[in-house]
């Protein structure tokens, strides 16, 4: 028995002083949390340079998995254990800003205007723009030799987009949708990635048809005929035209369309620069980026940005603001741009990112054009995250074809607004 | 004969259904991301690569520190739980004190409260005492026994014949002596069962370590593996290699304790 206690005591001791030492240099440690472990590496490079210039401040980078990021954050904010600076997206920052959990940003920088707009609420800026993405059209050059410039119009049954997609979609017997004997169960190549993907597909079509999704902090999509029409168009591409993979495959598997594209089984893939690295790594064919399809209201794409916000409960405000200033500067963001991870929020760091991809043979101009043209606002409001959680299962039913579009949007809007009231 | 064929057929199908996911994760783990993205999931890896494993052992995504933390957590929790549960179960089973059964049933009732319900209060409690993001924050809530373990042991201890205990008492043994020389030697199978159940539960525990710790210092395996995936980057080949590595110690544990596990299933009737 005594021996057991000795072993136990030794183990407890060993556990108490496990591997990896703390910051013993007497520096102020500022914590920085994000959800992307690849970009975390770029930040680490950036902070190494920062620490050289500020020997009294150390920055500790924490990666919390994306899947659990929004579960863990509320608990940490409530308990006062949140990181000093953390990444946020537009759906989630409003609540914290309104509740006084964030420090307003009281300095300015050379930042992308659209992202600054997204994080300005009640006349104050709450986050320092870090990354942004816009939407464009990736295309497989083996299947589509020339950069496609497509138009779409829900009122014309044979608009260029539908006609092109029918031609691009092929089943195992070489037949196209619309031809007799075409078997959608045996599709070999899909034309397009129409799916329940709000950012990359749905909102872009809604915007390009002249519809809206939200007005102020409430959803209004079911009340806008243009919105309903655009959603119907996208759902029909899947269930009536069969030019996109079935919603049963894509509703809950966000990677499905990407995999089909990299397998060479999808001709056009509408998405953001966040997929550049995956496609570059995986595609065994030549590919390029083209502008979005041009709709009745023009080319409209979603611009979304990630910002770094500072916790109002930070115990070392001055050091935190120093770090925030650094990651809002061109020098601070250079590693993110140089690594080709994402469009940096600092405008002057952008050419570095564009050059990275030019060297890989990819022209990012369509993304820049998409961001510079008419854009569709990303979701906003203090409880919009809760609203989205409420309507998602209903919209998934709509995409599966189990609920009519008009009826489903109405239900989804009611559920979403109900949840947003809190 | 025909019956035997049918039995084997049914067992074989069952085995395939249960093993297929593991085999698939193993075969994905020896593919390059490029092979994984270009070919259907069932295509064999050609040629197989060890790059994912190398990355997880010596590369930038090393899982060694989380592994060490996890082993420490499991060892401390298992020892703490077994010690405390044995003592508590002995008291509930063999000592007479006022309110014994009432306390036991109230304690047992906590089995019915889902973990998620106490997650936030527990988190607030521990972070108020300054234990968030520490080793003790991870292990303290579960190292003093669990209702399930105490219940299991109590039932087992009650089945030990009173005559044996009386004989020990006549020979001059006190409660510690009875526990050590009579009850514990008789309870080896149930203790082995508990050890395995506790070790596996805490090896796989994800939610609590995720919530109570932040950053790389006290990351356990499950949290580290989840961190390999990002919003748009599945990293599937790396994740599959990581889960294969993370299951390995459990397989070793299973092989070591195989006999006890089979016996424990017959004891507890659990699957």
């Amino acid at each position: 028995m005594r021996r057991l206690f000795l072993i136990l005591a030794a183990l407890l001791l060993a556990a108490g002083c496990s591997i990896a030492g703390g910051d013993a240099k007497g520096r102020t440690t500022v914590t920085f949390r994000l959800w992307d472990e690849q970009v975390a590496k770029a930040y680490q490079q950036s902070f190494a340079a920062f620490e050289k210039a500020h020997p009294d401040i150390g920055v500790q980078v924490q990666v919390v998995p994306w899947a659990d990021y929004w579960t863990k954050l509320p608990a940490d904010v409530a308990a006062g254990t949140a990181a000093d600076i953390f990444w946020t997206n537009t759906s989630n920052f409003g609540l914290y800003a309104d509740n006084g959990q964030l420090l307003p940003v009281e300095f300015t920088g050379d930042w992308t205007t659209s992202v600054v707009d997204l994080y300005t609420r009640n006349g104050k800026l709450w986050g320092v723009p870090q990354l942004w993405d816009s939407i464009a059209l990736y295309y497989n050059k083996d299947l589509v030799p020339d950069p496609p410039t497509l138009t779409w119009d829900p009122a014309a049954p044979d608009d260029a987009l539908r006609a092109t997609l029918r031609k691009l979609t092929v089943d195992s017997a070489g037949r196209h949708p619309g031809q007799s004997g075409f078997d959608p169960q045996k599709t070999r190549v899909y034309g397009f990635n129409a799916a329940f993907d709000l950012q990359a597909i749905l909102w872009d079509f809604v915007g390009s048809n002249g519809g809206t999704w939200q007005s102020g902090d409430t959803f209004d999509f079911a009340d806008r005929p243009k919105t309903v029409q655009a959603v119907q168009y996208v759902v029909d591409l899947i269930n009536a035209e069969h030019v996109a993979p079935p919603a049963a495959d894509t509703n809950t598997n966000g990677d499905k369309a990407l995999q089909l594209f990299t397998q060479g089984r999808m001709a056009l893939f509408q998405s953001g620069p966040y997929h550049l690295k995956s496609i570059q790594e995986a595609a065994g064919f030549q590919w390029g980026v083209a502008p979005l399809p041009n709709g009745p209201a023009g080319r409209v794409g979603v611009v979304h940005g990630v910002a770094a916000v500072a916790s109002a409960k930070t115990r070392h405000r001055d050091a935190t603001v120093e770090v925030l200033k650094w990651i809002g500067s061109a020098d601070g963001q250079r590693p993110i741009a140089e690594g080709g991870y994402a469009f940096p929020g600092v405008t002057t760091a952008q050419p570095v990112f564009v050059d990275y991809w030019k060297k890989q043979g990819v022209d990012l101009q369509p993304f820049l054009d998409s961001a510079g043209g008419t854009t569709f606002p990303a979701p906003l409001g203090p409880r919009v995250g809760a609203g989205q959680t409420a309507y998602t299962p209903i919209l998934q039913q709509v995409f599966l074809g189990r609920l009519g579009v008009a009826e489903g949007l109405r239900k989804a809007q009611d559920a979403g607004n109900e949840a947003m009231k809190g | 004969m025909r019956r035997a064929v049918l039995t084997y057929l049914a067992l074989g199908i069952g085995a395939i259904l249960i093993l297929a996911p593991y085999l698939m994760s193993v075969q994905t783990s020896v593919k390059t991301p490029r092979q994984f993205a270009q070919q259907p999931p069932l295509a064999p890896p050609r040629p197989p690569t060890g790059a994912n494993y190398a990355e997880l052992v010596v590369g930038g995504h090393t899982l060694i520190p989380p592994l060490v933390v996890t082993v420490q957590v499991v060892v401390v929790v298992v020892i703490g739980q077994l010690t405390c549960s044995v003592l508590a179960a002995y008291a509930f089973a063999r000592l007479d004190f006022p309110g014994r059964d009432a306390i036991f049933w109230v304690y047992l009732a906590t089995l019915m409260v889902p973990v998620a319900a106490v997650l936030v209060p527990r988190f607030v409690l521990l972070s108020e005492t300054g234990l968030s993001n520490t080793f003790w924050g991870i292990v303290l809530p579960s190292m003093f026994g669990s209702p399930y373990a105490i219940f299991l042991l109590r039932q087992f201890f009650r089945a030990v014949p009173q005559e044996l205990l009386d004989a020990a008492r006549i020979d001059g043994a006190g409660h510690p002596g009875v526990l050590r020389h009579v009850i514990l030697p008789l309870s080896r199978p149930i203790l082995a069962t508990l050890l395995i159940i506790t070790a596996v539960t805490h090896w796989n525990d994800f939610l609590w370590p995720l919530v109570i710790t932040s950053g790389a210092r006290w990351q356990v395996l499950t949290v580290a593996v989840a961190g390999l995936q990002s919003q748009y980057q599945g990293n599937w080949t790396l994740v599959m290699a990581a889960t294969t590595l993370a299951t390995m110690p459990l397989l070793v544990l299973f092989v070591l304790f195989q006999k006890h596990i089979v016996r424990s299933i017959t004891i507890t009737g659990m699957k």
Side-chain angles (χ1 to χ4, degrees):
Chain A
M1 209 66 175
R2 182 170 299 150
R3 214 173 42 188
L4 188 71
F5 276 122
L6 277 179
I7 295 172
L8 186 69
L11 273 168
L12 294 186
L13 212 66
C17 46
S18 187
I19 35 152
D23 202 322
K25 292 177 203 156
R27 303 185 294 181
T28 312
T29 302
V30 173
T31 48
F32 175 73
R33 182 187 289 182
L34 74 167
W35 60 74
D36 191 304
E37 58 98 22
Q38 287 206 312
V39 185
K41 281 187 201 137
Y43 275 113
Q44 255 146 3
Q45 282 177 33
S46 164
F47 291 137
F50 173 82
E51 284 168 358
K52 259 189 205 140
H54 300 79
D56 51 332
I57 304 176
V59 187
Q60 192 200 29
V61 177
Q62 309 173 342
V63 180
V64 173
W66 164 256
D68 308 290
Y69 197 85
W70 309 110
T71 319
K72 186 164 158 56
L73 190 61
D76 278 329
V77 169
T81 53
D84 298 313
I85 302 175
F86 52 91
W87 261 20
T88 181
N89 60 14
T90 53
S91 311
N92 289 283
F93 94 99
L95 182 63
Y96 299 115
D98 288 9
N99 289 345
Q101 304 280 6
L102 306 181
L103 290 179
V105 178
E106 279 157 346
F107 54 95
T108 54
D110 170 30
W111 302 319
T112 310
T113 325
S114 48
V115 185
V116 170
D117 291 345
L118 288 172
Y119 288 95
T120 303
R121 196 170 161 80
N122 305 328
K124 279 185 189 158
L125 177 63
W126 296 98
V128 173
Q130 295 299 296
L131 326 169
W132 60 267
D133 17 74
S134 56
I135 304 298
L137 201 58
Y138 293 86
Y139 65 100
N140 179 334
K141 287 188 180 169
D142 289 354
L143 303 167
V144 189
D146 299 314
T149 44
L150 296 160
T151 54
W152 72 284
D153 183 358
D158 277 310
D159 62 340
L161 181 61
R162 276 185 283 208
T164 309
L165 294 181
R166 270 181 224 134
K167 248 181 262 163
L168 289 170
T169 306
V170 190
D171 75 0
S172 55
R175 282 180 289 246
H176 302 280
Q179 292 180 343
S180 68
F182 171 77
D183 185 356
Q185 305 286 332
K186 292 189 180 152
T187 309
R188 200 181 68 217
V189 174
Y190 291 101
F192 189 54
N193 64 325
F196 176 57
D197 180 336
L198 293 165
Q199 185 183 354
I201 301 285
L202 204 57
W203 289 333
D204 309 270
F205 274 92
V206 167
S208 130
N209 198 35
T212 61
W213 196 259
Q214 228 182 308
S215 101
D217 283 351
T218 42
F219 297 122
D220 66 348
F221 46 80
D223 305 327
R224 308 280 164 197
K226 296 274 186 204
T227 305
V228 180
Q229 196 182 29
V231 177
Q232 183 75 56
Y233 184 89
V234 176
V235 171
D236 282 350
L237 288 180
I238 304 168
N239 296 331
E241 303 280 345
H242 302 293
V243 296
D249 288 348
T250 56
N251 261 350
T252 50
N253 180 3
D255 283 347
K256 180 71 187 180
L258 174 69
Q259 280 162 2
L260 286 170
F261 183 71
T262 55
Q263 285 168 5
R265 293 190 53 209
M266 183 178 275
L268 302 174
F269 177 62
Q270 184 169 314
S271 186
Y274 43 80
H275 277 141
L276 280 167
K277 283 241 163 185
S278 308
I279 294 175
Q280 173 76 4
E281 198 173 58
F285 48 84
Q286 294 291 306
W287 54 278
V289 183
L292 287 174
N294 197 350
R299 285 199 171 89
V300 182
V302 174
V303 171
H304 179 259
V306 170
V309 295
S311 163
K313 286 190 186 148
T314 171
R315 268 169 290 168
H316 12 259
R317 195 165 165 156
D318 294 342
T320 299
V321 173
E322 277 309 306
V323 177
L324 212 52
K325 278 186 183 160
W326 170 254
I327 56 176
S329 70
D331 288 337
Q333 291 198 356
R334 184 152 300 127
I336 301 175
E338 274 174 355
Y341 296 108
F343 278 109
V346 175
T347 330
T348 43
Q350 262 169 39
V352 182
F353 177 69
V354 176
D355 286 348
Y356 172 93
W357 285 101
K358 196 168 278 168
K359 277 192 206 118
Q360 316 282 329
V362 182
D363 179 12
L364 298 188
Q365 198 55 42
F367 288 116
L368 289 166
D369 291 345
S370 178
T374 317
T375 62
F376 193 79
L380 280 173
R383 298 190 48 83
V384 73
Q388 286 183 299
T389 308
Y391 69 50
T392 294
I394 305 175
L395 291 182
Q396 285 177 341
Q397 295 287 317
V398 171
F399 274 75
L400 286 169
R402 291 197 198 132
L403 259 177
V405 170
E407 182 199 356
L409 284 179
R410 174 65 53 197
K411 271 193 183 171
Q413 178 177 316
D414 292 347
N417 283 333
E418 185 62 32
M420 281 213 287
K421 273 190 226 143
Chain B
M1 180 62 198
R2 219 178 113 208
R3 225 177 126 166
V5 169
L6 282 178
T7 312
Y8 275 98
L9 199 67
L11 287 176
I13 292 172
I16 290 171
L17 282 179
I18 290 167
L19 288 176
Y22 293 104
L23 294 179
M24 208 153 129
S25 87
V26 172
Q27 85 141 2
T28 308
S29 74
V30 292
K31 285 182 181 179
T32 62
R34 210 180 165 84
Q35 286 169 341
F36 173 72
Q38 287 181 3
Q39 294 158 3
L42 287 175
R46 235 173 306 165
T49 167
N52 295 314
Y53 289 97
E55 173 70 16
L56 292 172
V57 178
V58 291
H61 293 99
T62 176
L63 288 181
I64 303 294
L67 180 76
V68 173
V69 173
T70 311
V71 169
Q72 287 175 333
V73 167
V74 168
V75 167
V76 170
V77 168
V78 164
I79 291 176
Q81 274 218 10
L82 284 188
T83 316
C84 296
S85 303
V86 163
L87 294 175
Y90 181 78
F92 282 131
R94 290 293 173 188
L95 298 187
D96 269 321
F97 54 92
R100 183 185 77 172
D101 288 348
I103 296 175
F104 175 71
W105 288 114
V106 168
Y107 188 60
L108 194 62
T110 59
L111 255 185
M112 300 296 150
V113 182
V115 183
V118 291
L119 188 74
V120 172
R122 192 194 265 181
F123 173 72
V124 172
L125 243 147
L126 282 167
S127 48
E128 287 291 311
T129 45
L131 286 173
S132 68
N133 208 16
T134 62
F135 178 79
W136 297 109
I138 309 175
V139 297
L140 267 186
S142 41
M143 68 177 285
F144 296 112
S146 74
Y148 176 74
I150 292 172
F151 175 67
L152 205 63
L153 287 174
R154 173 186 177 263
Q155 300 311 100
F156 197 85
F157 290 173
R158 275 162 72 106
V160 174
Q162 185 64 36
E163 289 78 7
L164 283 180
L165 306 190
D166 291 341
R169 299 303 290 263
I170 290 167
D171 286 345
H175 285 303
V178 171
L179 186 61
R180 192 175 153 203
H181 295 292
V182 182
I183 303 260
L184 287 187
L186 285 172
S187 314
R188 267 214 205 114
I190 193 80
L191 289 175
T193 311
L194 259 186
L195 184 132
I196 292 157
I197 294 175
T198 317
V200 172
T201 314
H202 289 274
W203 188 271
N204 290 334
D205 194 13
F206 172 69
L207 194 58
W208 178 249
L210 170 80
V211 170
I212 195 70
T213 64
S214 314
R217 175 120 157 84
W218 295 114
Q219 222 170 28
V220 297
L221 263 183
T222 46
V223 177
V225 172
L228 295 173
Q229 291 200 312
S230 183
Q231 187 180 8
Y232 299 109
Q233 181 70 28
N235 269 335
W236 286 109
T237 53
L238 207 56
V239 171
M240 289 302 144
T243 49
T244 308
L245 279 183
T247 343
M248 221 61 100
L250 293 185
L251 287 180
V252 172
L253 195 74
F254 178 79
V255 171
L256 284 180
F257 285 89
Q258 200 187 6
K259 254 192 212 150
H260 290 289
I261 293 174
V262 174
R263 205 182 319 160
S264 71
I265 293 172
T266 51
I267 295 172
T268 60
M270 66 149 218
K271 280 205 269 186

